[in-house]
Amino acid sequence: MPAFASLPRTVLAASLLGLAACAAAPRPTLVAVEPAPPPPVALSVDPALPAPAVVAEAWTSPAVEDDELDSLAPWQDRAGRLWLFATAKRSDKIVVFDAADGERVRETGGPGTAPGRFARPNGIAIGGDLLFVVERDNHRVQVLSLPALEPLGSFGGEQLRVPYGLWVHPADAGGWEVLVTDSFMQDFAKGVPPPREQLAERVKRFRVRVDAGGVHADYAGSFGDTGDGALQMVESIAGDAAGRRLMIAEEDHRVGPTLREYALDGRYRGRSLPPFEGDAEGVALWECGDGDGYWIAAEQLRPTRFHLYARGSLAAAGSFTGQRTALTDGIALFAAPSARFPGGALFALDEDRALAAFDLREIARALRLSAHCPR
């Protein structure tokens, strides 16, 4: 299929929407309710911490009520156009946005179990020209080609129970290593975590190859601490392959929402960030020059508070809010230049109904970040 950028916008929208049509499959009987939130705990806030900076959104997309958007993944085509792929949990679709202005240009999927159909899609990530989509209620990760969004296959159906988030990075022997968070519960409706010994299965590891014969995945085991670094309620995960580090969001208010630091091999490193007031949601790594950079984490408040931590030391580097972005779930960072964002951009969900974009140069200026990051 030709790259998206080769078509005028009006033709593009019509062509892309036409590609989304496929035979509907009957939807299985699934329980699609979120676990009840646990009772909040009283968390102290250090009054000495500076107030968050305010960084104006570069754009916000029109709100859509019916999709319940959750997670984001950016992808740049060969013509240099930047696209955003979003999971829509309620409508069981993947929605495509133009990252230059937030215009909605395509959607694909719909409820069902057949290839190209979804049941409560949640986490989403890109490896090369492949799109990986976690389906909570189909208990699998589906792989689609880019830009055609053609379904190529799926994996994890035998191992995943209630999957949510994922992180994809190149494997040493070729292909991809895929880490998938699995937030199964003892009582899902009430948000009661499983027995502590089962928390050793919170993250599932797969090694995935895709070729002309389809998707080939080998299950490489699970991990999760059963002590102080236990993951009671987990969704977002992001990694730093060069730093051999994972940052995993703990959402349970009974232990305090936070980010926990794990080694790439799955060991808890004994360190968690100070607890948040709101849910710890999306997390992304901003890689700057010379090995410098920052972790960005979304704290689900109104407005959303975005926290930055030094890539290596995890020292707090400041926080900011947008002018309107609130109750963010997923975030995605694209640090390479694009026509609209020469210094890169941070993308975030806004109340599950819209998307927001922030220019990384504006964030760097507002927080006085490292000179290795764009200004």
Side-chain angles (χ1 to χ4, degrees):
M1 174 183 173
F4 289 157
S6 64
L7 295 174
R9 185 180 297 276
T10 54
V11 177
L12 168 66
S15 301
L16 290 175
L17 288 170
L19 288 171
C22 59
R27 184 168 189 170
T29 302
L30 297 169
V31 178
V33 296
E34 296 289 346
V41 297
L43 299 175
S44 60
V45 179
D46 186 348
L49 291 176
V54 177
V55 178
E57 293 86 348
W59 54 253
T60 55
S61 69
V64 176
E65 301 292 340
D66 297 333
D67 286 325
E68 193 178 355
L69 301 173
D70 188 273
S71 299
L72 298 170
W75 179 78
Q76 194 169 41
D77 67 18
R78 289 170 178 80
R81 296 282 297 272
L82 187 60
W83 307 94
L84 279 173
F85 296 84
T87 52
K89 296 185 293 189
R90 184 179 301 156
S91 59
D92 298 307
K93 295 176 181 177
I94 304 300
V95 184
V96 187
F97 296 85
D98 188 333
D101 56 14
E103 180 181 353
R104 183 179 181 130
V105 296
R106 181 185 178 184
E107 60 184 48
T108 189
T113 60
R117 313 293 282 187
F118 305 98
R120 200 76 176 175
N122 200 86
I124 189 168
I126 287 173
D129 289 341
L130 300 173
L131 184 69
F132 295 78
V133 181
V134 175
E135 298 178 66
R136 191 194 75 179
D137 290 351
N138 275 339
H139 320 290
R140 67 185 181 186
V141 179
Q142 198 166 169
V143 184
L144 298 90
S145 67
L146 292 173
L149 289 178
E150 175 187 354
L152 302 176
S154 63
F155 62 91
E158 296 181 1
Q159 296 86 16
L160 298 173
R161 297 165 67 180
V162 188
Y164 273 93
L166 80 168
W167 178 60
V168 176
H169 70 107
D172 293 338
W176 305 95
E177 184 169 58
V178 182
L179 304 182
V180 186
T181 58
D182 199 347
S183 209
F184 58 91
M185 295 285 174
Q186 178 173 302
D187 187 327
F188 191 81
K190 295 181 179 179
V192 178
R196 186 162 285 266
E197 63 271 14
Q198 293 184 23
L199 298 180
E201 304 172 29
R202 267 301 185 235
V203 183
K204 306 295 195 324
R205 191 188 302 270
F206 299 88
R207 294 188 172 90
V208 181
R209 293 180 299 106
V210 179
D211 57 28
V215 176
H216 313 277
D218 295 318
Y219 178 55
S222 61
F223 64 85
D225 194 66
T226 57
D228 293 341
L231 299 165
Q232 305 285 343
M233 188 177 294
V234 63
E235 179 172 1
S236 298
I237 180 172
D240 181 355
R244 311 296 295 173
R245 169 184 284 150
L246 300 168
M247 297 302 292
I248 307 176
E250 165 66 78
E251 294 188 23
D252 195 337
H253 282 258
R254 285 166 290 209
V255 299
T258 184
L259 295 183
R260 301 204 188 280
E261 180 191 8
Y262 273 68
L264 205 59
D265 64 8
R267 292 177 294 108
Y268 176 54
R269 282 183 161 177
R271 181 165 54 168
S272 297
L273 298 179
F276 293 167
E277 295 177 84
D279 284 356
E281 288 288 349
V283 55
L285 176 63
W286 179 3
E287 297 187 67
C288 303
D290 232 13
D292 208 347
Y294 299 92
W295 296 94
I296 302 182
E299 182 180 8
Q300 196 174 63
L301 296 171
R302 185 187 295 277
T304 298
R305 189 176 299 159
F306 299 95
H307 298 273
L308 277 74
Y309 304 92
R311 179 181 183 180
S313 68
L314 300 185
S319 64
F320 74 94
T321 71
Q323 292 181 331
R324 55 156 288 175
T325 304
L327 303 179
T328 293
D329 273 323
I331 65 174
L333 191 138
F334 191 82
S338 66
R340 175 63 178 84
F341 297 106
L346 173 70
F347 303 99
L349 266 297
D350 178 17
E351 298 196 66
D352 297 341
R353 301 178 302 158
L355 276 59
F358 297 90
D359 192 316
L360 290 184
R361 297 171 301 177
E362 297 302 319
I363 297 172
R365 278 194 283 266
L367 300 185
R368 300 180 181 179
L369 300 180
S370 165
H372 295 129
C373 295
R375 289 181 181 271

